[in-house]
Amino acid sequence: MIAYSLRRLVSLCLTLIAASLFVFAVMEILPGDPAELILGINAQEDTLAALREQLGLNLPLTERYWLWITGMLSGDFGTSYTYSVPVTELIGERLTVSLPLALVALLLSTLIALPLGILAAGNHNKWPDISLIGATQFGIAVPNFWFAMLLVLVFAVTLRWFPSGGFPGWEAGILPCLQALVLPSIALALPQASILARIMRSSMLEVMHEDYMRTARAKGLTFTQTLKRHGLRNALIPVVTILGLQFSFLLAGTVIIENVFSLPGLGRLVFQAINQRDLITVKAVIILLVATVILVNFLVDLTYALIDPRLHRRRQS
């Protein structure tokens, strides 16, 4: 298990290095001059040259990449061109919104999807199964921004149970912050829960037709006992994969929902930084998200091996 983990870790580190090269190259070929954007198009050339030197934009590409990557390894992501503050501070502030939002949405989708997927598989071609298929089709088809506005209209404007937008900050207390995250979390969780429920149902149906399941039933176990003892664990492998992908998506892909609810999150920061040509912030956020995806994939691989040890033994042989 240790050797398997080390091999996976080395592979993921090489992937991160390749991703950093790609991100740096893409950011460098984008049109526009950050110095000109900061000072304006009417700025004098000597002033622009001085700012480029201050920002390190006049250095060779290889040297700039080396300074960027070594700075990140030491915790220095640079200074934002737009906000003139360390990028680490910007990311830290936005993560206090995006990370809880992603975790709450993932928790909601998991708590909803797994029981419904198991229930549908256990009642294949009966009304719970048919109802789940219809409900998940609706959940996947409905745009989450439309569903978010519907939630605001019903629960914020009409019933006044939750705020319609904004984030008070954690210094205002846990309860007001959680109330501000409830509606966006539900809007994000609906399509994810629909996908996860479908995967759970399909995986359970596939497992239920395996020979060891029929053998367990023949030995006298009830259908529910067979699912709990033998079916569920084997059905979780594709579900764990989807959960890992969903967490990465929820952390990075919340731009629309954050704009609907006026949440100062990480997705909104990237959107603003791209519009303002704040390349140092864009590069830092993207590489952070790439590292998160790689780390989540590493944890998913370890979870595979814990759920079914045959997987890493098979790879060692």
Side-chain angles (χ1 to χ4, degrees):
M1 184 66 182
I2 295 176
Y4 170 75
S5 302
L6 289 176
R7 285 198 303 271
R8 292 297 300 148
L9 189 59
V10 170
S11 174
L12 295 176
C13 288
L14 293 176
T15 303
L16 184 58
I17 293 172
S20 68
L21 285 168
F22 178 76
V23 170
F24 183 83
V26 169
M27 291 295 107
E28 290 302 320
I29 63 176
L30 288 177
D33 182 2
E36 189 175 285
L37 185 65
I38 294 171
L39 297 177
I41 58 175
N42 296 321
Q44 298 295 324
E45 186 58 38
D46 56 343
T47 307
L48 290 172
L51 182 58
R52 292 191 190 102
E53 183 177 357
Q54 180 184 347
L55 297 176
L57 298 175
N58 60 332
L59 297 174
L61 286 178
T62 53
E63 186 176 350
R64 285 162 60 187
Y65 173 76
W66 176 252
L67 291 174
W68 175 61
I69 202 72
T70 53
M72 285 195 302
L73 290 175
S74 63
D76 181 13
F77 284 71
T79 302
S80 168
Y81 299 157
T82 303
Y83 301 99
S84 299
V85 297
V87 176
T88 49
E89 291 185 13
L90 284 176
I91 294 176
E93 291 174 0
R94 303 305 179 98
L95 272 177
T96 59
V97 179
S98 291
L99 187 58
L101 177 61
L103 290 174
V104 173
L106 188 67
L107 179 62
L108 283 175
S109 65
T110 305
L111 292 177
I112 293 170
L114 297 190
L116 290 179
I118 295 171
L119 177 65
N123 295 273
H124 185 45
N125 287 333
K126 297 179 182 178
W127 71 264
D129 187 27
I130 297 172
S131 301
L132 176 73
I133 292 175
T136 53
Q137 285 178 341
F138 175 80
I140 295 172
V142 171
N144 59 0
F145 69 89
W146 180 85
F147 185 60
M149 291 187 288
L150 181 63
L151 290 174
V152 170
L153 180 62
V154 175
F155 294 101
V157 177
T158 305
L159 298 177
R160 299 183 182 275
W161 289 355
F162 300 100
S164 60
F167 189 76
W170 292 103
E171 63 275 4
I174 295 179
L175 185 58
C177 292
L178 291 179
Q179 287 178 333
L181 294 178
V182 167
L183 294 184
S185 297
I186 294 174
L188 285 171
L190 175 67
Q192 307 306 319
S194 301
I195 296 171
L196 193 59
R198 284 280 188 117
I199 298 296
M200 188 73 229
R201 171 187 175 274
S202 300
S203 183
M204 286 296 295
L205 287 175
E206 183 178 349
V207 166
M208 285 165 57
H209 292 91
E210 295 290 340
D211 291 338
Y212 61 84
M213 295 289 286
R214 286 192 289 267
T215 302
R217 292 295 307 277
K219 289 181 177 180
L221 291 180
T222 65
F223 180 74
T224 304
Q225 289 173 333
T226 306
L227 285 181
K228 288 181 178 179
R229 296 184 186 182
H230 304 285
L232 184 58
R233 182 171 181 174
N234 291 287
L236 281 178
I237 291 179
V239 174
V240 169
T241 304
I242 298 301
L243 282 174
L245 294 173
Q246 285 187 347
F247 176 75
S248 303
F249 168 77
L250 290 171
L251 188 61
T254 58
V255 179
I256 296 177
I257 295 299
E258 287 178 358
N259 277 282
V260 170
F261 290 96
S262 300
L263 295 175
L266 205 59
R268 199 175 183 190
L269 174 63
V270 174
F271 180 75
Q272 293 169 340
I274 291 174
N275 285 336
Q276 296 163 349
R277 195 77 167 78
D278 193 350
L279 295 185
I280 192 71
T281 302
V282 175
K283 287 190 291 188
V285 174
I286 291 177
I287 203 65
L288 176 65
L289 295 175
V290 170
T292 302
V293 172
I294 291 174
L295 177 61
V296 169
N297 286 335
F298 176 63
L299 296 176
V300 167
D301 286 342
L302 293 184
T303 307
Y304 285 167
L306 292 175
I307 293 175
D308 189 352
R310 295 173 299 175
L311 292 175
H312 72 85
R313 288 175 192 160
R314 207 173 293 156
R315 294 176 188 180
Q316 289 175 348
S317 59

